[in-house]
Amino acid sequence: MNLLLAEVAQATQRLADAGVPSPRNDAEELAAFVHGVKRGELHSVKNSDFDARYWEVIARREQREPLQHITGRAFFRYLELQVGPGVFVPRPETESVVGWAIDAVRAMDVVEPRIVDLCTGSGAIALALAQEVPRSRVHAVELSEDALRWTRKNMEGSRVDLRQGDALDAFRDLDGQVDLVVSNPPYIPLTEWEYVAPEARDYDPELALFSGEDGLDLIRGIERTAHRLLRPGGVVVIEHADTQGGQVPWIFTEERGWADAADHPDLNNRPRFATARKATP
């Protein structure tokens, strides 16, 4: 075993002792980041090239600073995004939301589907949809100026229509014209603050995490925004906590103009997002 791999083994144990959920993965990712190689190439780093700064970034991760803040990047589907303080770090479970949205749009008989991403954050969802549905017209909105600094970096050169504003009042010019509305809004109940992982609680912006006593305040508002934006037959897909699986579809009721409200599991088979179709009058 070369020096770097031996250090990675020690770092893995230190991160595990600190409660980091994926210690081996993070130890290897940080080793690759510091040494400028891919994870599969760690064994090729010469002992003389070992960089002691590795232990500096391991110490930061021990304090539960997010891996993505240390490296300055987050991977989402086929994207590499710039992230850091002030913007929500995209999670792997949201990839299931995007996968469903892509399938739904492709199934529509629409040449250039119009898509709106509410609470876009880093821009992960909007950019993935623009990339994977090439003829789509994608619009995204974000309220936080701190987050928008990162969104603008990620969307530079893209064809996404990015705006700053409140998701509940966004895109009045698109009312009744949208084929799909997608959102990963804040949905953590304020009462669960102490149970949130340190990486999120201490580093992600509160605006992107918490939404009222039951976590559903913004989702209730987005239901009205989605109904306003969508054409009849258009669909909404919205992420929620795995503990909210029985609650969110009930927000999209027939009385409020919806049909086919349903919940869907993520890759771990936990309820992760709800969908509904705007009813035809």
Side-chain angles (χ1 to χ4, degrees), residues 46-61:
K46 298 177 182 177
N47 290 352
S48 58
D49 291 334
F50 175 76
D51 192 330
R53 288 179 299 173
Y54 178 54
W55 289 108
E56 294 177 12
V57 297
I58 289 296
R60 290 170 64 184
R61 189 68 186 100

Side-chain angles (χ1 to χ4, degrees), residues 4 7 17 24 29 59 70 72 99 163 174 187 218 226 239 279:
L4 179 55
E7 300 293 84
D17 292 343
R24 182 75 190 189
E29 283 284 352
I70 299 171
R163 308 184 197 181
L174 299 180
Y187 51 69
L218 191 54
E239 183 171 330

Side-chain angles (χ1 to χ4, degrees), residues 164-223:
Q164 181 173 16
D166 188 331
L168 302 187
D169 195 45
F171 301 114
R172 292 281 176 179
D173 54 315
L174 299 180
D175 284 0
Q177 304 174 49
V178 177
D179 299 291
L180 180 136
V181 171
V182 58
S183 182
N184 178 18
Y187 51 69
I188 300 175
L190 289 168
T191 53
E192 294 186 11
W193 183 90
E194 62 185 296
Y195 304 110
V196 177
E199 287 87 348
R201 184 189 65 221
D202 299 337
Y203 292 94
D204 279 326
E206 286 191 15
L207 186 66
L209 296 178
F210 302 100
S211 186
E213 291 299 311
D214 63 358
L216 299 177
D217 280 5
L218 191 54
I219 291 179
R220 293 187 185 97
I222 286 176
E223 179 268 326

